[in-house]
Amino acid sequence: LDILNGGQSGNSPDFLLGIITQPIQTIVTFLQMMVQDVMYLLFTVWGKSIAPAEIDFSSRTYLLSVILGIVISGFFFFIYSSWKTNNKEKIDPFFFNGLIISIFAIVFGGVPVWAIGRQVTVGMWSDRFAIAPMLGVCILIVIFWTWISRNYKVSHIILAAILAISISYQIRVVNDFQNNWLEQERFYWQIMWRAPSIKAGTAILSPTMPFGLVSEYSIWYALNSFYAQELKSEELPYVYLSALRHRYYQISDFKDDGTIYATLRSLSFTGSTSDAIVFYEAPKQQCIWIVNPDDAYLPGLDSEVKDLFSISHLDRIEDFKNTKTNVVDQVFGAEPIHNWCYFYQKAELANQFKNWREVDNLKKDADNANEKPEHGRELFPFIEAYAQLNQWDQVRRYGLEVLTLTGNLQKRTCLLFQKIANETSETEQKSKVLSELENTFDCKLYGE
């Protein structure tokens, strides 16, 4: 049993262990799990495919899925109906043979899962456990509907309807996963554009998961695959955590010099809150923002998110390409066409290292490509670069455009203007432009 339970997978042979110590309770629990899963696979699971909330006639994907489901199931209904006769007297051996096959497929397909105490119905990713017993469930459903209606025409109609519902639902599921993959590509490319190299020992944090259908450790693997040059031990050089879920377990506090710890099976990460970077996605925005403590003044943030931003250290990002090109190419293929988020991320990187001319060139390239921001926060690196380049007309232009794009960004923008006021040389034009912006944004840039 020690051998069977070796490693750190968490899939211990509960049935084999329990049958020795508590045989009756273990058998009852095993049968209960089996019945729950089989009932779910036979009946409850259909609720997902016909849920009223899923009906969306404005969605082309939904309409296409319904049409294809009806057309394909109708085709098979026509073909299958032409093969059968309406001979009600003949006993079809399919009922008995199919019933035996379905029971064996369900039981032996589910036993490995139930034996380790897992269920199809318990856990976020547990639906994968349905793959093995699914064959038996499908046969059992056909037997049930064929047996319940001895009129072959009626049973065929019912089965065709079930097939149509299944096809429609599977098309929508495929579309959901396709969209999720596009979200993942968008996220990882933006991270690599903004941070071509990250110092080892860095924890990448965010208030929430950047996309669904994956766990945090999936992002661990991706980041380490892209950035880690060597993985010689079980100690990871990078980790990702959805920080608000882990503050009291894996993150000591949102203050510098705290401990960040994460572990998964044989892998672990130990780092410091002084060596963390934080990214954030504003609602309904396309670009990822790697934030700094000043971004705590962005609108709509709660106190914990503001505290989290205080431990974002941009000096963990290095200005040279250190990602594994061969791994990135294998996973994503060619780099996507450069959209606004590309120009923004590269401008943030250039701004961090005071490459003001490069920021200016990136804005010109974005204008030539007709790419524009959707949020005023994404104009900040350009405004700062124009101030450093003494292009105060551009500072005025894009400073005012911030409010046009995002009307409640005054406090955060005032911090940017204050930084510009402190870090640029005094000129008559600077004083005039900043005074105008000071009045517009209700800032106090030069004190009382």
Side-chain angles (χ1 to χ4, degrees):
L1 291 178
D2 289 337
I3 295 174
L4 290 172
N5 198 26
Q8 302 178 47
S9 67
N11 295 324
S12 62
D14 292 343
F15 179 77
L16 296 179
L17 296 171
I19 201 71
I20 298 173
T21 58
Q22 296 176 308
I24 297 177
Q25 181 179 342
T26 300
I27 292 172
V28 170
T29 301
F30 183 88
L31 292 174
Q32 177 178 299
M33 290 191 297
M34 182 169 62
V35 171
Q36 287 175 340
D37 281 359
V38 171
M39 294 299 292
Y40 172 81
L41 291 172
L42 282 172
F43 303 108
T44 308
V45 72
W46 293 98
K48 294 182 178 181
S49 60
I50 58 175
E54 292 290 319
I55 300 173
D56 183 5
F57 293 137
S58 65
S59 168
R60 287 181 293 181
T61 300
Y62 179 83
L63 293 175
L64 178 63
S65 72
V66 171
I67 292 171
L68 286 177
I70 293 173
V71 170
I72 295 173
S73 64
F75 171 77
F76 282 105
F77 170 77
F78 174 78
I79 295 297
Y80 189 64
S81 295
S82 66
W83 290 348
K84 300 290 290 185
T85 63
N86 200 25
N87 185 357
K88 300 181 183 179
E89 304 299 325
K90 184 178 179 180
I91 298 177
D92 194 337
F94 168 74
F95 288 105
F96 179 76
N97 296 336
L99 184 62
I100 298 299
I101 293 171
S102 65
I103 291 174
F104 270 83
I106 292 171
V107 172
F108 287 102
V111 161
V113 176
W114 302 319
I116 60 174
R118 308 291 289 273
Q119 287 186 257
V120 176
T121 54
V122 179
M124 184 174 294
W125 317 116
S126 295
D127 55 357
R128 68 188 187 275
F129 297 138
I131 294 175
M134 194 180 297
L135 171 64
V137 170
C138 292
I139 296 174
L140 197 58
I141 288 175
V142 173
I143 291 172
F144 175 75
W145 284 114
T146 306
W147 171 78
I148 204 171
S149 174
R150 287 295 181 174
N151 185 317
Y152 282 117
K153 187 68 71 175
V154 173
S155 64
H156 295 168
I157 292 174
I158 293 172
L159 291 174
I162 291 175
L163 179 61
I165 292 170
S166 300
I167 292 171
S168 175
Y169 180 66
Q170 290 302 318
I171 290 173
R172 300 199 301 274
V173 169
V174 169
N175 184 67
D176 289 342
F177 275 89
Q178 171 67 15
N179 289 338
N180 183 266
W181 175 242
L182 295 176
E183 284 292 301
Q184 292 191 47
E185 284 188 313
R186 179 183 69 87
F187 169 78
Y188 288 118
W189 274 115
Q190 288 191 51
I191 291 293
M192 290 185 288
W193 289 332
R194 176 63 182 89
S197 178
I198 301 176
K199 295 177 183 178
T202 300
I204 296 93
L205 312 175
S206 70
T208 58
M209 289 283 290
F211 38 79
L213 303 182
V214 300
S215 293
E216 289 170 320
Y217 58 79
S218 301
I219 303 178
W220 295 13
Y221 296 148
L223 293 173
N224 281 281
S225 297
F226 299 154
Y227 287 110
Q229 296 306 304
E230 294 183 356
L231 288 172
K232 294 182 178 179
S233 68
E234 296 175 344
E235 182 72 22
L236 296 174
Y238 306 98
V239 76
Y240 164 74
L241 293 174
S242 178
L244 298 188
R245 296 196 304 175
H246 295 290
R247 179 173 184 179
Y248 302 107
Y249 169 53
Q250 294 166 314
I251 301 176
S252 55
D253 205 350
F254 296 149
K255 296 179 181 178
D256 282 345
D257 300 320
T259 300
I260 298 177
Y261 178 73
T263 181
L264 177 70
R265 300 186 178 98
S266 62
L267 301 175
S268 63
F269 172 91
T270 303
S272 170
T273 53
S274 297
D275 299 328
I277 57 176
V278 179
F279 69 83
Y280 175 70
E281 282 187 279
K284 299 181 181 179
Q285 299 303 316
Q286 292 299 311
C287 297
I288 306 295
W289 303 342
I290 293 186
V291 299
N292 60 59
D294 285 349
D295 287 312
Y297 287 87
L298 289 169
L301 304 180
D302 62 34
S303 59
E304 279 217 314
V305 174
K306 293 179 180 180
D307 290 343
L308 173 63
F309 286 6
S310 70
I311 59 169
S312 186
H313 299 83
L314 299 186
D315 59 356
R316 303 300 298 175
I317 297 172
E318 299 174 307
D319 190 18
F320 60 89
K321 188 173 182 180
N322 201 37
T323 52
K324 294 179 181 177
T325 304
N326 60 327
V327 176
V328 175
D329 290 344
Q330 288 172 6
V331 175
F332 296 123
E335 186 171 341
I337 296 173
H338 293 165
N339 56 14
W340 167 257
C341 291
Y342 167 84
F343 298 111
Y344 164 71
Q345 301 295 357
K346 285 298 187 180
E348 284 278 43
L349 177 65
N351 180 280
Q352 178 183 337
F353 292 94
K354 304 185 186 306
N355 297 325
W356 312 120
R357 285 294 176 189
E358 184 177 350
V359 178
D360 181 29
N361 291 333
L362 285 163
K363 187 64 174 70
K364 292 174 181 176
D365 291 342
D367 291 341
N368 291 336
N370 198 31
E371 293 289 343
K372 301 182 183 300
E374 297 180 359
H375 196 287
R377 168 67 178 79
E378 293 164 13
L379 288 171
F380 284 10
F382 304 101
I383 294 171
E384 184 174 359
Y386 289 134
Q388 295 289 345
L389 294 171
N390 207 32
Q391 298 182 24
W392 293 103
D393 287 340
Q394 296 288 66
V395 173
R396 177 195 293 111
R397 173 187 173 186
Y398 291 110
L400 295 174
E401 189 174 328
V402 167
L403 282 185
T404 302
L405 290 171
T406 312
N408 57 349
L409 208 56
Q410 288 91 337
K411 289 185 178 180
R412 177 63 184 93
T413 313
C414 285
L415 287 179
L416 174 67
F417 294 153
Q418 185 66 65
K419 180 181 180 183
I420 289 172
N422 294 337
E423 296 181 359
T424 54
S425 302
E426 295 297 330
T427 65
E428 181 179 350
Q429 189 178 18
K430 168 188 173 179
S431 178
K432 180 180 179 181
V433 168
L434 289 186
S435 294
E436 179 182 342
L437 293 173
E438 183 179 36
N439 293 330
T440 302
F441 284 80
D442 194 22
C443 298
K444 297 296 180 183
L445 303 183
Y446 296 100
E448 295 295 330

